[in-house]
Amino acid sequence: MRDNNSIGPWIRRFLLEHVATERNLARNTQLSYRDTLVLLLPFLSKALGKAVDRLSIDDLSPASVRSFLRYLEKERRCSGATRNLRLATIHSLAKFIGMHSPEHVAWCAAIRGVPFKKTASSTLTYLDKPEMEALLHTPDLHTALGMRDHALLLFLYNTGARADEAAHLSLEDIKWGTSPAVRLVGKGKMRWCPIWPRTADVLKPLIAGRACGEFVFLNRLNQPLTRFGIYAVVRRTVAQASQALPSLMAKTISPHCLRHTCAVHLLRSGVDINTIRAWLGHVSLDTTHIYAEVDLEMKAKALALCDLPKETRTRPWHTDAGLMSFLKAL
């Protein structure tokens, strides 16, 4: 008879069947779930004086979960956001067990009753157009690495691609022709994104002479650039550009910041919110609405500073015309 009370087999099913197969979560999300359990199981084993393979479902009680969360914050110095991320994994594990084992439904409800901690919402960082242009003009186009850095930054700005998506981009993902586009795969989802003429002009010489299956962005050793390498390129370029434009020093700029910049600039050009959602690959429109709220907040601040007449404080949103003017400006 199967022992439904031992937590080991449930964790195995949770990671290998539910997270990886049934939900098909992104690889980084799978690793995050695993990392939480790598921390949780030794903590329970030490606290209860039991071997890891002897732990039962009842050993994971609301009290032990709260102790684990305190351990994360006090001893490991984790932020509130990280604490909530770890708790979300535990909630997900409890839900999985409760759905497949009716006798553990009450236990599941108790575990999922451990609340998340309220944390301050993070500020969305993006670059204004002069700052973005300063970043794009920083790499030395007379060198091979400078050309690659320029192409990478422009690609991130054009597509709003995540660092992992750009790192895994291959030549076969790009469709040339009268309307160039790129296929991006991230978080288990695929989307097509248009390539601006300006971006196409810098990508073509970068990949000239390469085979179809090769990666687009390579490092000094002609190996695929990793997402950590992409972070390094952005940080290095920002450090150089900050010497000429000090406003960059006040912002925390990462590849994801360029994704935010792409969305805000598209919105300001008049592109509708649904198009931006598809452009960035968001599942929920609520995620994309963050950019609309940020843009409205910035406009309100600008109006307050300028003290414009009431009749000039609103203007109609443009759609296709705004998009075309934005693309031509690039």
Side-chain angles (χ1 to χ4, degrees):
M1 183 176 179
R2 179 186 295 179
D3 181 12
N4 277 353
N5 202 46
S6 177
I7 200 170
W10 284 111
I11 289 178
R12 184 180 185 279
R13 289 182 59 189
F14 174 69
L15 292 176
L16 299 182
E17 296 179 18
H18 180 66
V19 173
T21 304
E22 294 176 358
R23 295 195 60 194
N24 192 29
L25 297 179
R27 180 61 179 166
N28 288 339
T29 305
Q30 295 180 34
L31 293 176
S32 175
Y33 277 35
R34 179 183 178 276
D35 289 345
T36 297
L37 297 174
V38 166
L39 294 172
L40 175 64
L41 295 178
F43 174 85
L44 292 177
S45 175
K46 182 179 179 180
L48 300 173
K50 297 175 65 174
V52 172
D53 60 340
R54 298 293 182 182
L55 292 174
S56 67
I57 290 178
D58 293 332
D59 290 329
L60 184 63
S61 63
S64 64
V65 170
R66 290 188 174 92
S67 295
F68 173 66
L69 297 176
R70 285 194 297 271
Y71 158 74
L72 292 178
E73 292 185 288
K74 302 298 183 183
E75 297 188 32
R76 294 187 62 87
R77 309 283 183 144
C78 293
S79 66
T82 301
R83 178 250 192 215
N84 288 342
L85 183 67
R86 302 304 186 197
L87 178 58
T89 299
I90 298 173
H91 280 187
S92 184
L93 172 64
K95 181 180 179 181
F96 172 75
I97 295 175
M99 289 179 63
H100 292 82
S101 179
E103 58 267 33
H104 290 108
V105 170
W107 167 86
C108 168
I111 294 296
R112 287 170 63 82
V114 178
F116 292 103
K117 176 175 285 188
K118 185 176 182 180
T119 58
S121 57
S122 58
T123 304
L124 190 149
T125 303
Y126 65 93
L127 303 180
D128 292 324
K129 192 66 182 292
E131 294 174 330
M132 189 66 231
E133 288 299 327
L135 213 61
L136 292 173
H137 286 92
T138 297
D140 184 2
L141 299 183
H142 295 94
T143 65
L145 286 179
M147 292 176 59
R148 181 210 62 188
D149 292 352
H150 175 71
L152 173 62
L153 294 169
L154 184 56
F155 177 81
L156 294 174
Y157 175 46
N158 175 166
T159 61
R162 302 175 180 91
D164 195 59
E165 293 172 343
H168 290 90
L169 183 71
S170 67
L171 271 65
E172 60 187 3
D173 292 322
I174 302 177
K175 183 186 71 174
W176 301 107
T178 55
S179 300
V182 60
R183 179 179 59 193
L184 297 172
V185 180
K187 294 195 173 182
K189 298 175 287 294
M190 187 272 289
R191 70 185 187 277
W192 284 93
C193 186
I195 296 177
W196 300 329
R198 179 183 179 183
T199 310
D201 289 342
V202 299
L203 283 178
K204 287 179 179 178
L206 182 72
I207 63 177
R210 296 194 205 164
C212 183
E214 291 189 34
F215 288 95
V216 174
F217 300 110
L218 306 177
N219 61 21
R220 296 174 183 269
L221 303 177
N222 286 325
Q223 297 297 315
L225 197 64
T226 65
R227 60 191 180 94
F228 301 105
I230 292 176
Y231 271 85
V233 169
V234 173
R235 284 195 296 265
R236 182 175 65 248
T237 308
V238 169
Q240 296 172 353
S242 298
Q243 299 176 9
L245 198 63
S247 64
L248 292 172
M249 299 178 63
K251 298 182 177 182
T252 303
I253 303 172
S254 66
H256 216 75
C257 172
L258 302 188
R259 177 174 168 86
H260 296 325
T261 301
C262 169
V264 172
H265 289 189
L266 287 173
L267 184 66
R268 288 180 175 175
S269 73
V271 181
D272 69 274
I273 201 74
N274 275 302
T275 301
I276 297 175
R277 182 191 64 80
W279 196 298
L280 299 183
H282 288 158
V283 174
S284 171
L285 193 60
D286 293 338
T287 307
T288 317
H289 269 299
I290 296 174
Y291 301 111
E293 294 171 2
V294 169
D295 189 48
L296 287 174
E297 181 181 349
M298 292 303 297
K299 286 177 179 177
K301 290 180 179 179
L303 289 172
L305 289 173
C306 297
D307 194 23
L308 296 176
K310 183 177 180 180
E311 60 270 19
T312 64
R313 295 188 182 183
T314 57
R315 65 178 180 84
W317 288 99
H318 301 297
T319 52
D320 295 339
L323 175 59
M324 291 306 298
S325 63
F326 178 73
L327 297 179
K328 289 178 181 178
L330 294 170

